[in-house]
Amino acid sequence: MATAAKADEQTAVFNNVVCPFCATLCDDLTVHVRGNQVVKVNGCNLSKGVFMNAHTEWATPRVDGKRVDYDDAVDEAARILARSVNPLIFGLAATDVEAQKKCIELADLIGANLDNASSV
Ligand code: SF4
């Protein structure tokens, strides 16, 4: 179980953090957080790259490079998937269980292949 402490006034330190970025699930990371930003982590290079560049804001959806709202983005994604001959749903390494379940349901619905980063 992760435990938290204060390194200084601005930095919280979380010990025994589970890394979700590959199937190894290392559970001994120490993550230093200042504000909403990870400032230090002792994981591997993949883990460091993802933790240190984590975004805490919602992504801005775009279609053809133009900002759109989420409903329009979902409509466009549905149009693309409906035209797809051999769709692939890939990734999911840092995706929570509920989102993974939705991806599996979607793959079943549209006959997509489903794969994750451990196969590359
Ligand atoms: S990405 Fe690195 S730190 Fe994270 S679980 Fe995999 S090997 Fe461990």
Side-chain angles (χ1 to χ4, degrees):
M1 176 183 230
T3 58
K6 286 270 188 193
D8 57 46
E9 278 303 307
Q10 288 90 29
T11 307
V13 179
F14 297 87
N15 295 303
N16 302 318
V17 173
V18 177
C19 175
F21 301 120
C22 85
T24 307
L25 295 175
C26 296
D27 63 359
D28 59 350
L29 300 190
T30 299
V31 180
H32 298 244
V33 179
R34 189 173 299 146
N36 265 350
Q37 183 69 45
V38 174
V39 294
K40 184 177 173 188
V41 62
N42 66 337
C44 71
N45 285 340
L46 170 61
S47 174
K48 285 179 183 171
V50 182
F51 271 109
M52 300 292 287
N53 294 292
H55 296 281
T56 55
E57 315 85 40
W58 287 90
T60 302
R62 295 175 190 268
V63 173
D64 295 329
K66 296 183 187 123
R67 289 178 179 224
V68 296
D69 63 28
Y70 280 93
D71 288 340
D72 288 342
V74 169
D75 287 347
E76 179 64 11
R79 276 192 288 278
I80 291 169
L81 287 172
R83 291 193 308 261
S84 298
V85 175
N86 192 12
L88 168 66
I89 295 176
F90 180 82
L92 314 179
T95 308
D96 73 7
V97 172
E98 290 305 313
Q100 289 185 18
K101 286 179 181 176
K102 292 295 181 191
C103 288
I104 292 167
E105 289 174 20
L106 178 61
D108 280 345
L109 182 70
I110 64 175
N113 292 299
L114 186 62
D115 200 0
N116 67 32
S118 64
S119 68
V120 294

